Amino acid sequence: MAGKSYSDEFRRQAVDLYESTPGATVRGIAQDLGIERGTLRHWLERSA
């Protein structure tokens, strides 16, 4: 089963939002954006 496809721009914006929000949690940001926590975690690891 294929997962959802997100644009590179959306991925960058999600990472930027997490990194620029004081006290942000992966869970909170992912929930706000309607994506899975694991997806956001993966994007954060790739951007490091």
Side-chain angles (χ1 to χ4, degrees), residues 6 10 14 27 29-37 39-40 43:
Y6 298 99
F10 180 81
R27 171 180 274 178
I29 297 295
Q31 191 172 36
D32 289 348
L33 296 175
I35 60 176
E36 296 291 326
R37 283 179 288 167
T39 300
L40 180 55
W43 296 346

Side-chain angles (χ1 to χ4, degrees):
M1 184 167 87
K4 287 186 178 182
S5 180
Y6 298 99
S7 71
D8 289 340
E9 180 179 357
F10 180 81
R11 293 176 192 203
R12 280 192 303 273
Q13 289 176 343
V15 169
D16 289 346
L17 179 62
Y18 174 78
E19 292 177 343
S20 67
T21 305
T25 62
V26 170
R27 171 180 274 178
I29 297 295
Q31 191 172 36
D32 289 348
L33 296 175
I35 60 176
E36 296 291 326
R37 283 179 288 167
T39 300
L40 180 55
R41 268 193 235 106
H42 179 70
W43 296 346
L44 290 166
E45 290 169 3
R46 290 182 63 192
S47 72

